[in-house]
Amino acid sequence: MRDSDRKRYLAKIVDDYVRRRISRRQFLTTSAQLGLGAAALGTGMSRPFGGLFTPANADEMLQPSQEVLDWVADVSTPFRGTTLKLATESTPPSNAINSQLKPYFEEASGMTVEIEVLPLEQVLQKLTLDIASQLGTYDLYYIDQSWAAFTSRDVFDPREQLADKPDLAMPDWRVEDFLPALVDGIARYEDRLVGVPYDIPIFIMMYRKDIWEEMGFEAPTELEQYYQQAKAITDAMGPEMYGATGQMKSGHYSLECDWTAWLWGHGGSIFNSDGKFSGNDERGLEAMEYWRRLYQTMPPGVTGWTWDGQGQSIAQGVAASMMSWGEFFPYFDDPNATKVSGLMEAARCPAPKNPLRTVEDTGFGEIPGVGHQGGSSLAVSQNSKNPDAAWIFMQWATCHDTQVLITALGGGTGPTRTAVYDDPRILANRRVGPGTTRHLNVVRDTIAMDMGSEPDLPEWAELANDTIPVRLGKYFAGDYGSAKEAMDDIAQAADKIVSG
């Protein structure tokens, strides 16, 4: 079997196991025959927030709290010499810990921490193999919010760890300090917490304030106003400058992310309370009509872009606005990397056109909101051979002090703890420059008031990465006669997958 065919087959086997279409034994037998777990598994899917940003405080020598390091040293005494392993996507928290903060923990604890930074799909494949085999190769799991249902019974609930291991509990490390909306939208599945919120990429609006001033516009507060302003800019300044941009590559998760913002923003939902796909109802079709109009205000290449191309269209001065991941904002402020340093402004996403559906109106815990979130949790694996040592590291990696350093050194990423937003070290970075934190008030408000979360079900990985974006891509390529035909096709495919 050619290597390319083997990779595709391996990915299918992982999907089949995640969707519970094959048994653990079938998965292990097939994966062993094909060598699942090799480094070549990934398909290149990654988010844009790792590696783009210059540290915010490179000249200020931010140091971890000595009090926190003293606690690490004291509680880690029985575990000196232990090696911990984590496979993670390239995100600001993981990159800041791996490149700058990990040595402090290792020196204090006497442990070694091995962090593999991989494309998102490769993280899923390694995590899936570890869960299925129960080998305990990884002590900690990086869990994308769309994997919460799949992993919930294979990780420790941090509330149980706090109760069962009081001698290992970090002082003032409180689950209650994590932003409640993130706990519910990222880390909770049914009655369990799947770790704690670790990072929070989320949609906010970012726009060229110089162009808005030139056009005499205020930041849009409604979706229709957003479209009208984007159209006016494209009409007046195109083809050199377009009013809006998107992440609309066919078959890629980014296209599904774009779709949800417009769907939720028009009062629609992915599923209804009966667990049936509802993106083809009246509100869903209204969202598609809006999206089609907005698409006409975007650069011609947008249907070939993931979030990376979308971000570059802003950074290189091709587009004037986008609703996308807030982690782009600190990058835009870097004068050595972009043409728009100091020109961008952050704002909450325009308000929904129609009332949002409630969680009770939807299925599988879906939370409608224009601010689509793509966050992740950090958890200790129940298969770990060193769960107590891993629990110490997890508390350190997600405590207030470490989050402050991650936010400052990792490029202005959105903290998941409430108090970090008002920490003096974070407030000091509210200025134009790489790694700025001047957008974080918008991020915090978006989390509290606008956040949308995708459904929690084992089949969601397939739906979000294949079923939905493939058909949406075909729609924008003209393969369907109408939006209704496209959405009805998605409904038929999605309901078949969910019903199993």
Side-chain angles (χ1 to χ4, degrees), residues 387-409:
D388 289 348
W391 172 231
I392 293 170
F393 175 82
M394 177 178 156
Q395 291 177 90
W396 170 80
T398 60
C399 74
H400 175 100
D401 186 65
T402 304
Q403 276 208 14
V404 169
L405 298 178
I406 287 169
T407 302
L409 298 173

PDB file of all heavy atoms in Angstrom, residues 387-409:
ATOM      1  N   PRO A 387      -0.199   9.488  37.275  1.00  0.00           N
ATOM      2  CA  PRO A 387      -1.310  10.454  37.339  1.00  0.00           C
ATOM      3  C   PRO A 387      -1.112  11.548  38.376  1.00  0.00           C
ATOM      4  O   PRO A 387      -1.530  12.687  38.144  1.00  0.00           O
ATOM      5  CB  PRO A 387      -2.515   9.575  37.660  1.00  0.00           C
ATOM      6  CG  PRO A 387      -1.941   8.348  38.312  1.00  0.00           C
ATOM      7  CD  PRO A 387      -0.627   8.124  37.636  1.00  0.00           C
ATOM      8  N   ASP A 388      -0.485  11.244  39.506  1.00  0.00           N
ATOM      9  CA  ASP A 388      -0.290  12.274  40.533  1.00  0.00           C
ATOM     10  C   ASP A 388       0.723  13.323  40.062  1.00  0.00           C
ATOM     11  O   ASP A 388       0.514  14.530  40.250  1.00  0.00           O
ATOM     12  CB  ASP A 388       0.170  11.640  41.845  1.00  0.00           C
ATOM     13  CG  ASP A 388      -0.926  10.838  42.529  1.00  0.00           C
ATOM     14  OD1 ASP A 388      -2.103  10.960  42.113  1.00  0.00           O
ATOM     15  OD2 ASP A 388      -0.609  10.070  43.452  1.00  0.00           O
ATOM     16  N   ALA A 389       1.794  12.865  39.456  1.00  0.00           N
ATOM     17  CA  ALA A 389       2.779  13.810  38.930  1.00  0.00           C
ATOM     18  C   ALA A 389       2.168  14.654  37.816  1.00  0.00           C
ATOM     19  O   ALA A 389       2.417  15.866  37.720  1.00  0.00           O
ATOM     20  CB  ALA A 389       4.001  13.048  38.422  1.00  0.00           C
ATOM     21  N   ALA A 390       1.363  14.015  36.967  1.00  0.00           N
ATOM     22  CA  ALA A 390       0.710  14.741  35.880  1.00  0.00           C
ATOM     23  C   ALA A 390      -0.265  15.776  36.433  1.00  0.00           C
ATOM     24  O   ALA A 390      -0.413  16.871  35.863  1.00  0.00           O
ATOM     25  CB  ALA A 390      -0.015  13.769  34.959  1.00  0.00           C
ATOM     26  N   TRP A 391      -0.938  15.458  37.518  1.00  0.00           N
ATOM     27  CA  TRP A 391      -1.871  16.381  38.149  1.00  0.00           C
ATOM     28  C   TRP A 391      -1.149  17.615  38.679  1.00  0.00           C
ATOM     29  O   TRP A 391      -1.644  18.745  38.570  1.00  0.00           O
ATOM     30  CB  TRP A 391      -2.621  15.653  39.257  1.00  0.00           C
ATOM     31  CG  TRP A 391      -3.495  16.462  40.154  1.00  0.00           C
ATOM     32  CD1 TRP A 391      -3.481  16.458  41.520  1.00  0.00           C
ATOM     33  CD2 TRP A 391      -4.547  17.368  39.794  1.00  0.00           C
ATOM     34  NE1 TRP A 391      -4.438  17.300  42.031  1.00  0.00           N
ATOM     35  CE2 TRP A 391      -5.113  17.882  40.988  1.00  0.00           C
ATOM     36  CE3 TRP A 391      -5.053  17.813  38.574  1.00  0.00           C
ATOM     37  CZ2 TRP A 391      -6.156  18.805  40.995  1.00  0.00           C
ATOM     38  CZ3 TRP A 391      -6.104  18.736  38.580  1.00  0.00           C
ATOM     39  CH2 TRP A 391      -6.638  19.217  39.774  1.00  0.00           C
ATOM     40  N   ILE A 392       0.044  17.441  39.209  1.00  0.00           N
ATOM     41  CA  ILE A 392       0.840  18.583  39.664  1.00  0.00           C
ATOM     42  C   ILE A 392       1.164  19.488  38.478  1.00  0.00           C
ATOM     43  O   ILE A 392       1.003  20.715  38.547  1.00  0.00           O
ATOM     44  CB  ILE A 392       2.125  18.099  40.359  1.00  0.00           C
ATOM     45  CG1 ILE A 392       1.782  17.375  41.669  1.00  0.00           C
ATOM     46  CG2 ILE A 392       3.065  19.278  40.627  1.00  0.00           C
ATOM     47  CD1 ILE A 392       2.976  16.658  42.291  1.00  0.00           C
ATOM     48  N   PHE A 393       1.628  18.886  37.377  1.00  0.00           N
ATOM     49  CA  PHE A 393       1.944  19.693  36.204  1.00  0.00           C
ATOM     50  C   PHE A 393       0.705  20.394  35.668  1.00  0.00           C
ATOM     51  O   PHE A 393       0.766  21.578  35.292  1.00  0.00           O
ATOM     52  CB  PHE A 393       2.552  18.812  35.104  1.00  0.00           C
ATOM     53  CG  PHE A 393       2.784  19.552  33.811  1.00  0.00           C
ATOM     54  CD1 PHE A 393       3.914  20.336  33.639  1.00  0.00           C
ATOM     55  CD2 PHE A 393       1.846  19.506  32.780  1.00  0.00           C
ATOM     56  CE1 PHE A 393       4.130  21.041  32.464  1.00  0.00           C
ATOM     57  CE2 PHE A 393       2.048  20.204  31.596  1.00  0.00           C
ATOM     58  CZ  PHE A 393       3.187  20.974  31.442  1.00  0.00           C
ATOM     59  N   MET A 394      -0.414  19.695  35.605  1.00  0.00           N
ATOM     60  CA  MET A 394      -1.637  20.298  35.077  1.00  0.00           C
ATOM     61  C   MET A 394      -2.058  21.515  35.901  1.00  0.00           C
ATOM     62  O   MET A 394      -2.450  22.550  35.342  1.00  0.00           O
ATOM     63  CB  MET A 394      -2.756  19.264  35.050  1.00  0.00           C
ATOM     64  CG  MET A 394      -4.101  19.821  34.576  1.00  0.00           C
ATOM     65  SD  MET A 394      -5.350  18.535  34.525  1.00  0.00           S
ATOM     66  CE  MET A 394      -6.837  19.531  34.678  1.00  0.00           C
ATOM     67  N   GLN A 395      -1.967  21.407  37.227  1.00  0.00           N
ATOM     68  CA  GLN A 395      -2.315  22.564  38.062  1.00  0.00           C
ATOM     69  C   GLN A 395      -1.371  23.726  37.799  1.00  0.00           C
ATOM     70  O   GLN A 395      -1.818  24.876  37.674  1.00  0.00           O
ATOM     71  CB  GLN A 395      -2.271  22.165  39.538  1.00  0.00           C
ATOM     72  CG  GLN A 395      -3.362  21.209  39.957  1.00  0.00           C
ATOM     73  CD  GLN A 395      -3.217  20.802  41.414  1.00  0.00           C
ATOM     74  OE1 GLN A 395      -3.759  21.438  42.316  1.00  0.00           O
ATOM     75  NE2 GLN A 395      -2.445  19.753  41.645  1.00  0.00           N
ATOM     76  N   TRP A 396      -0.080  23.445  37.719  1.00  0.00           N
ATOM     77  CA  TRP A 396       0.882  24.516  37.446  1.00  0.00           C
ATOM     78  C   TRP A 396       0.615  25.144  36.080  1.00  0.00           C
ATOM     79  O   TRP A 396       0.631  26.372  35.929  1.00  0.00           O
ATOM     80  CB  TRP A 396       2.305  23.955  37.499  1.00  0.00           C
ATOM     81  CG  TRP A 396       3.322  24.936  36.986  1.00  0.00           C
ATOM     82  CD1 TRP A 396       3.863  25.989  37.671  1.00  0.00           C
ATOM     83  CD2 TRP A 396       3.888  24.973  35.667  1.00  0.00           C
ATOM     84  NE1 TRP A 396       4.737  26.677  36.852  1.00  0.00           N
ATOM     85  CE2 TRP A 396       4.763  26.072  35.621  1.00  0.00           C
ATOM     86  CE3 TRP A 396       3.733  24.180  34.534  1.00  0.00           C
ATOM     87  CZ2 TRP A 396       5.489  26.404  34.476  1.00  0.00           C
ATOM     88  CZ3 TRP A 396       4.450  24.505  33.384  1.00  0.00           C
ATOM     89  CH2 TRP A 396       5.320  25.601  33.367  1.00  0.00           C
ATOM     90  N   ALA A 397       0.346  24.325  35.051  1.00  0.00           N
ATOM     91  CA  ALA A 397       0.173  24.835  33.689  1.00  0.00           C
ATOM     92  C   ALA A 397      -1.077  25.674  33.523  1.00  0.00           C
ATOM     93  O   ALA A 397      -1.159  26.491  32.595  1.00  0.00           O
ATOM     94  CB  ALA A 397       0.136  23.665  32.702  1.00  0.00           C
ATOM     95  N   THR A 398      -2.056  25.519  34.415  1.00  0.00           N
ATOM     96  CA  THR A 398      -3.328  26.236  34.278  1.00  0.00           C
ATOM     97  C   THR A 398      -3.616  27.181  35.438  1.00  0.00           C
ATOM     98  O   THR A 398      -4.703  27.731  35.523  1.00  0.00           O
ATOM     99  CB  THR A 398      -4.495  25.229  34.150  1.00  0.00           C
ATOM    100  OG1 THR A 398      -4.549  24.395  35.310  1.00  0.00           O
ATOM    101  CG2 THR A 398      -4.349  24.368  32.910  1.00  0.00           C
ATOM    102  N   CYS A 399      -2.627  27.392  36.313  1.00  0.00           N
ATOM    103  CA  CYS A 399      -2.858  28.303  37.446  1.00  0.00           C
ATOM    104  C   CYS A 399      -2.796  29.757  36.983  1.00  0.00           C
ATOM    105  O   CYS A 399      -2.374  30.062  35.862  1.00  0.00           O
ATOM    106  CB  CYS A 399      -1.850  28.037  38.562  1.00  0.00           C
ATOM    107  SG  CYS A 399      -0.163  28.629  38.246  1.00  0.00           S
ATOM    108  N   HIS A 400      -3.196  30.657  37.853  1.00  0.00           N
ATOM    109  CA  HIS A 400      -3.257  32.084  37.513  1.00  0.00           C
ATOM    110  C   HIS A 400      -1.909  32.604  37.040  1.00  0.00           C
ATOM    111  O   HIS A 400      -1.812  33.258  35.990  1.00  0.00           O
ATOM    112  CB  HIS A 400      -3.736  32.887  38.729  1.00  0.00           C
ATOM    113  CG  HIS A 400      -3.722  34.370  38.517  1.00  0.00           C
ATOM    114  ND1 HIS A 400      -4.843  35.096  38.200  1.00  0.00           N
ATOM    115  CD2 HIS A 400      -2.707  35.285  38.576  1.00  0.00           C
ATOM    116  CE1 HIS A 400      -4.535  36.377  38.060  1.00  0.00           C
ATOM    117  NE2 HIS A 400      -3.243  36.515  38.289  1.00  0.00           N
ATOM    118  N   ASP A 401      -0.858  32.336  37.789  1.00  0.00           N
ATOM    119  CA  ASP A 401       0.442  32.908  37.459  1.00  0.00           C
ATOM    120  C   ASP A 401       0.945  32.409  36.111  1.00  0.00           C
ATOM    121  O   ASP A 401       1.442  33.202  35.292  1.00  0.00           O
ATOM    122  CB  ASP A 401       1.451  32.546  38.553  1.00  0.00           C
ATOM    123  CG  ASP A 401       2.793  33.234  38.341  1.00  0.00           C
ATOM    124  OD1 ASP A 401       2.835  34.481  38.412  1.00  0.00           O
ATOM    125  OD2 ASP A 401       3.788  32.530  38.087  1.00  0.00           O
ATOM    126  N   THR A 402       0.818  31.117  35.851  1.00  0.00           N
ATOM    127  CA  THR A 402       1.278  30.584  34.573  1.00  0.00           C
ATOM    128  C   THR A 402       0.446  31.136  33.427  1.00  0.00           C
ATOM    129  O   THR A 402       0.977  31.436  32.352  1.00  0.00           O
ATOM    130  CB  THR A 402       1.246  29.052  34.581  1.00  0.00           C
ATOM    131  OG1 THR A 402       2.035  28.565  35.675  1.00  0.00           O
ATOM    132  CG2 THR A 402       1.803  28.477  33.288  1.00  0.00           C
ATOM    133  N   GLN A 403      -0.849  31.285  33.636  1.00  0.00           N
ATOM    134  CA  GLN A 403      -1.692  31.856  32.579  1.00  0.00           C
ATOM    135  C   GLN A 403      -1.291  33.293  32.254  1.00  0.00           C
ATOM    136  O   GLN A 403      -1.328  33.695  31.089  1.00  0.00           O
ATOM    137  CB  GLN A 403      -3.169  31.800  32.968  1.00  0.00           C
ATOM    138  CG  GLN A 403      -3.812  30.477  32.670  1.00  0.00           C
ATOM    139  CD  GLN A 403      -5.316  30.621  32.410  1.00  0.00           C
ATOM    140  OE1 GLN A 403      -5.843  31.709  32.200  1.00  0.00           O
ATOM    141  NE2 GLN A 403      -6.001  29.493  32.422  1.00  0.00           N
ATOM    142  N   VAL A 404      -0.927  34.060  33.255  1.00  0.00           N
ATOM    143  CA  VAL A 404      -0.455  35.426  32.992  1.00  0.00           C
ATOM    144  C   VAL A 404       0.769  35.392  32.098  1.00  0.00           C
ATOM    145  O   VAL A 404       0.870  36.138  31.102  1.00  0.00           O
ATOM    146  CB  VAL A 404      -0.144  36.158  34.309  1.00  0.00           C
ATOM    147  CG1 VAL A 404       0.611  37.466  34.031  1.00  0.00           C
ATOM    148  CG2 VAL A 404      -1.427  36.459  35.076  1.00  0.00           C
ATOM    149  N   LEU A 405       1.720  34.527  32.416  1.00  0.00           N
ATOM    150  CA  LEU A 405       2.938  34.444  31.627  1.00  0.00           C
ATOM    151  C   LEU A 405       2.651  33.926  30.221  1.00  0.00           C
ATOM    152  O   LEU A 405       3.236  34.410  29.240  1.00  0.00           O
ATOM    153  CB  LEU A 405       3.943  33.535  32.332  1.00  0.00           C
ATOM    154  CG  LEU A 405       4.400  34.005  33.716  1.00  0.00           C
ATOM    155  CD1 LEU A 405       5.350  33.003  34.343  1.00  0.00           C
ATOM    156  CD2 LEU A 405       5.055  35.373  33.647  1.00  0.00           C
ATOM    157  N   ILE A 406       1.750  32.955  30.099  1.00  0.00           N
ATOM    158  CA  ILE A 406       1.371  32.451  28.781  1.00  0.00           C
ATOM    159  C   ILE A 406       0.779  33.569  27.931  1.00  0.00           C
ATOM    160  O   ILE A 406       1.110  33.725  26.749  1.00  0.00           O
ATOM    161  CB  ILE A 406       0.354  31.298  28.920  1.00  0.00           C
ATOM    162  CG1 ILE A 406       1.044  30.027  29.428  1.00  0.00           C
ATOM    163  CG2 ILE A 406      -0.353  31.031  27.593  1.00  0.00           C
ATOM    164  CD1 ILE A 406       0.084  28.932  29.832  1.00  0.00           C
ATOM    165  N   THR A 407      -0.094  34.363  28.534  1.00  0.00           N
ATOM    166  CA  THR A 407      -0.758  35.434  27.801  1.00  0.00           C
ATOM    167  C   THR A 407       0.239  36.492  27.353  1.00  0.00           C
ATOM    168  O   THR A 407       0.185  36.986  26.221  1.00  0.00           O
ATOM    169  CB  THR A 407      -1.851  36.075  28.667  1.00  0.00           C
ATOM    170  OG1 THR A 407      -2.779  35.069  29.064  1.00  0.00           O
ATOM    171  CG2 THR A 407      -2.593  37.164  27.911  1.00  0.00           C
ATOM    172  N   ALA A 408       1.183  36.840  28.225  1.00  0.00           N
ATOM    173  CA  ALA A 408       2.163  37.867  27.891  1.00  0.00           C
ATOM    174  C   ALA A 408       3.237  37.343  26.939  1.00  0.00           C
ATOM    175  O   ALA A 408       3.613  38.015  25.979  1.00  0.00           O
ATOM    176  CB  ALA A 408       2.814  38.391  29.163  1.00  0.00           C
ATOM    177  N   LEU A 409       3.708  36.122  27.198  1.00  0.00           N
ATOM    178  CA  LEU A 409       4.807  35.581  26.404  1.00  0.00           C
ATOM    179  C   LEU A 409       4.331  34.819  25.184  1.00  0.00           C
ATOM    180  O   LEU A 409       5.096  34.614  24.245  1.00  0.00           O
ATOM    181  CB  LEU A 409       5.654  34.645  27.267  1.00  0.00           C
ATOM    182  CG  LEU A 409       6.340  35.292  28.469  1.00  0.00           C
ATOM    183  CD1 LEU A 409       7.010  34.228  29.335  1.00  0.00           C
ATOM    184  CD2 LEU A 409       7.376  36.315  28.015  1.00  0.00           C
TER     185      LEU A 409
END
